[in-house]
Structure formats: structure tokens, C-alpha cells
Amino acid sequence: MTLRANLEFPLRRHISKFGNVKDTLPLVEEALQNVGLKNVIDLMPNELSGGMKRRVALARTLILKPKIIIYDEPTTGLDPITSKEIILLMKSVQEKYKTSSIIITHDVDCARVIANRMILLIDGKNYAEGTFAELSTSQDPKVKAFFK
């Protein structure tokens, strides 16, 4: 499917939320514009870079106007420049759409930029929680290890 078809798909699956969406083009264009990809609407997924694929995934989520977005390792496998762009895009989306975000990440920079509150897991358990500033200045050796 083209990017257009990929973005139309969730609209058709959630027809009860959006009614009978006959002209999806404005919604698709808006979603792509919001992630900086309006000009690639008719490309195929295999024609996109890794960062562009992450942006399209976010556009596909945004098109449904969610209140909460869950990200699982959003910067894994991306080069540092693209990672920073994705982090800033996530922050922008959070502010523009007033969405709550749950982000599972090992990327400390991602957490620093986006997180209002953090939970550090050790051995699968909630070991510590707080703001980035609180946790990054903790004297607990286990917590300090996250910020080296």
C-alpha cells in the first residue's frame, strides 16, 4: 500500500469514530504535514528511510486523534541526527495535540527531552521514579548507573 492507503486504513477501521469518511485526502495530508512528510504521500514504504518510516508510523497514529501514544524504543536503530529529529517531533506532537505519552526507552537523551516523570526498572520492578532532574542527581548507585 502507498502511504496514502496506509493512512486511510485506520480511518476506515474506525468508521464509527469518524463517520462515513468519503474524502480522506485532507485528513491524510494533515497527518503527513504534522510529521513533515506531506510530499511523500504516494510513495511505497520500501522507498522510505528509517526515520521517515518512524514519522509515518506517528502520522498513522495521529490520524486517529489519540489521547495517549505509546512509544516502544522510538530511537533504536536511528543515527544520532535522525534520533534527535524524532525526539523533537515526539515533543512537538505531545505539546500540539496535548497527548500523554508513555515511552519505553534506553535513550537517556530521549527521556531528558520528553519525560515529565520517569520510572526506572531494575529486574523488572519499579525501582525509582521522579523527574529527570531528580533521578539524574540521585546518589543511589543503581540509579546513577542509568545516567553515566
Side-chain angles (χ1 to χ4, degrees):
M1 292 191 293
T2 64
L3 296 186
R4 178 193 313 249
N6 264 287
L7 291 170
E8 288 172 338
F9 184 77
L11 293 173
R12 289 195 168 84
R13 295 279 300 164
H14 295 274
I15 200 155
S16 62
K17 183 175 179 179
F18 295 96
N20 188 7
V21 181
K22 290 188 174 144
D23 185 15
T24 59
L25 184 60
L27 295 171
V28 169
E29 286 179 338
E30 177 187 0
L32 287 172
Q33 178 71 38
N34 287 331
V35 298
L37 293 177
K38 187 175 180 183
N39 296 328
V40 299
I41 192 168
D42 291 314
L43 291 182
M44 299 296 285
N46 64 343
E47 297 176 279
L48 304 176
S49 69
M52 291 170 83
K53 288 177 182 176
R54 304 277 169 103
R55 289 173 180 269
V56 169
L58 186 52
R60 189 168 164 162
T61 299
L62 288 175
I63 206 163
L64 294 177
K65 311 277 191 249
K67 293 180 180 166
I68 299 172
I69 300 176
I70 300 173
Y71 300 90
D72 186 10
E73 298 289 357
T75 59
T76 297
L78 299 176
D79 63 82
I81 294 169
T82 304
S83 290
K84 185 174 182 176
E85 289 173 356
I86 294 298
I87 291 166
L88 293 175
L89 177 61
M90 291 165 52
K91 182 72 172 172
S92 170
V93 163
Q94 194 176 38
E95 292 169 353
K96 181 175 181 176
Y97 290 95
K98 308 292 186 233
T99 60
S100 295
S101 298
I102 298 172
I103 304 164
I104 296 93
T105 188
H106 289 87
D107 185 339
V108 176
D109 191 48
C110 179
R112 180 186 55 78
V113 172
I114 296 175
N116 298 350
R117 301 223 21 100
M118 295 174 54
I119 297 174
L120 301 182
L121 300 178
I122 297 178
D123 296 325
K125 293 188 170 67
N126 178 346
Y127 184 81
E129 63 182 277
T131 65
F132 186 90
E134 291 166 346
L135 293 174
S136 65
T137 58
S138 172
Q139 296 307 305
D140 183 319
K142 290 184 178 181
V143 174
K144 283 173 88 169
F146 280 85
F147 299 94
K148 287 186 177 182

